[in-house]
């Protein structure tokens, strides 16, 4: 074969490889931008809610003082109960050292509340040694929480879900659980495949696939436990090793 032809062929192969690399990088950057934009919107929403709460507290204090003067203790309790519940939601959501995660949790609490779902959050770690990029962790948590909300939408009776953020010596542990329908045993090996869903509506079947991709890229793991009374997804990410 002519040397010039071989050279041209080599150049074409290199250019094609560069093009594929550029397209892959573009897709990754686009996904990152979309997640960062979502995180930014969530942070703005959290800031707005905190400012609104601070503004409302003065009014609440005036009402509380008035009720105390009148001795309306039962009415005072009924008045303060929902306010305290709202305060606790915000307090629990902003306990990590990652603003994007804090904002995401606040946004998802609002989504769950709109669906009449009791969403309990327990944060027992500040996540300061997190190895994975915050925007990728947000993507994992967002999809797992959305998955739980979807599972609970058609449930009758009490709808409960929880997020537990904890840590072990070498790992951070995130557990998302709900009391929705159990995951069938034969589906456990399929739910992380692209397009697989037990729902017929368009748009389902991507969330857990996205989670699986992020876990694979970052060396994370996930375990699914499902019984009649509760389904839980346990995700682990390694901590950053100190130098």
């Amino acid at each position: 074969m002519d040397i010039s032809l071989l050279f041209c062929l080599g150049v074409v192969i290199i250019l094609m490889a560069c093009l594929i690399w550029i397209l892959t990088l573009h897709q990754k950057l686009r996904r990152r931008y979309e997640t960062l934009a979502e995180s930014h919107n969530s942070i703005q929403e959290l800031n707005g809610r905190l400012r609104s709460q601070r503004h409302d507290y003065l009014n609440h204090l005036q009402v509380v003082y008035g009720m105390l003067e009148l001795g309306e203790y039962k009415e005072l309790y009924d008045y303060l109960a929902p306010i305290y519940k709202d305060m606790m939601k915000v307090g629990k959501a902003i306990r990590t050292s990652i603003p994007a995660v804090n904002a995401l949790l606040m946004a998802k609490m609002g989504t769950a509340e709109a669906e009449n779902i009791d969403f309990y959050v327990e944060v027992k770690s500040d996540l300061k040694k997190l190895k994975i990029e915050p925007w990728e962790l947000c993507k994992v948590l967002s999809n797992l929480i959305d998955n739980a909300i979807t599972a609970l939408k058609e449930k009758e009776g009490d709808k409960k879900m929880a997020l537990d953020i904890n840590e072990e010596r070498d790992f951070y542990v995130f557990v998302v659980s709900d009391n929705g329908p159990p995951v069938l045993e034969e589906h456990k090996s399929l739910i992380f495949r692209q397009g697989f869903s037990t729902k017929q509506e368009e748009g389902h079947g991507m969330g857990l696939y996205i989670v699986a991709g992020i876990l694979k890229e970052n060396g994370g793991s996930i375990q699914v436990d499902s019984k009649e009374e509760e389904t839980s997804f346990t995700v682990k990410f390694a901590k950053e090793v100190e130098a």
Side-chain angles (χ1 to χ4, degrees):
M1 186 179 291
D2 189 82
I3 294 178
S4 60
L5 184 60
L6 285 173
F7 176 77
C8 290
L9 183 60
V11 170
V12 169
I13 292 173
I14 292 171
L15 289 174
M16 287 181 65
C18 289
L19 180 61
I20 292 171
W21 178 79
I22 290 171
L23 290 173
T24 302
L25 181 61
H26 175 264
Q27 283 289 99
K28 188 172 183 179
L29 290 174
R30 185 177 63 82
R31 289 197 301 269
R32 178 176 294 190
Y33 170 79
E34 289 173 352
T35 306
L36 288 174
E38 185 178 333
S39 296
H40 173 74
N41 291 336
S42 296
I43 290 173
Q44 291 292 93
E45 184 179 336
L46 175 58
N47 287 337
R49 186 162 182 178
L50 290 172
R51 284 196 298 269
S52 176
Q53 278 194 345
R54 185 176 61 183
H55 178 268
D56 288 342
Y57 285 157
L58 179 59
N59 295 329
H60 291 319
L61 284 173
Q62 290 172 339
V63 173
V64 168
Y65 185 78
M67 287 186 174
L68 284 172
E69 279 196 322
L70 294 171
E72 303 286 356
Y73 303 117
K74 172 65 169 63
E75 288 75 6
L76 178 59
Y77 176 82
D78 294 338
Y79 181 80
L80 286 176
I83 298 173
Y84 178 75
K85 185 178 180 181
D86 191 51
M87 288 172 59
M88 289 302 294
K89 282 184 178 180
V90 175
K92 287 183 177 182
I94 57 177
R95 289 182 183 173
T96 78
S97 61
I98 305 174
V101 172
N102 301 336
L104 172 71
L105 297 185
M106 274 302 308
K108 295 304 180 185
M109 283 178 176
T111 303
E113 189 174 359
E115 296 290 343
N116 296 315
I117 297 171
D118 290 326
F119 186 14
Y120 302 92
V121 177
E122 287 294 332
V123 180
K124 304 167 189 172
S125 173
D126 56 20
L127 305 178
K128 284 186 176 178
K129 297 180 183 178
L130 191 69
K131 199 173 180 181
I132 182 176
E133 290 288 341
W135 67 272
E136 291 190 300
L137 174 60
C138 284
K139 204 71 176 174
V140 170
L141 293 178
S142 178
N143 280 293
L144 289 177
I145 292 170
D146 286 346
N147 187 66
I149 290 174
T150 299
L152 289 168
K153 277 186 176 180
E154 298 176 6
K155 175 182 168 62
E156 295 183 0
D158 291 338
K159 302 178 182 182
K160 296 181 180 180
M161 58 182 289
L163 168 63
D164 183 82
I165 299 178
N166 213 327
E167 64 177 282
E168 299 172 354
R169 190 184 69 173
D170 300 318
F171 296 93
Y172 287 114
V173 184
F174 307 85
V175 183
V176 178
S177 58
D178 66 77
N179 67 338
V183 177
L184 299 178
E185 194 64 36
E186 58 266 30
H187 288 167
K188 287 183 180 180
S189 61
L190 303 174
I191 55 178
F192 296 101
R193 293 184 183 179
Q194 184 174 10
F196 179 84
S197 175
T198 57
K199 305 289 182 183
Q200 298 301 315
E201 296 93 338
E202 187 177 348
H204 292 289
M206 289 301 295
L208 293 180
Y209 171 74
I210 292 170
V211 169
I214 295 173
L215 291 171
K216 185 176 180 181
E217 289 179 5
N218 293 275
S221 66
I222 190 166
Q223 178 180 326
V224 183
D225 296 295
S226 189
K227 299 177 182 177
E228 195 64 40
E229 61 275 10
E230 182 181 84
T231 295
S232 64
F233 290 79
T234 302
V235 169
K236 289 188 178 184
F237 285 111
K239 290 183 179 180
E240 201 165 37
V241 179
E242 294 182 348

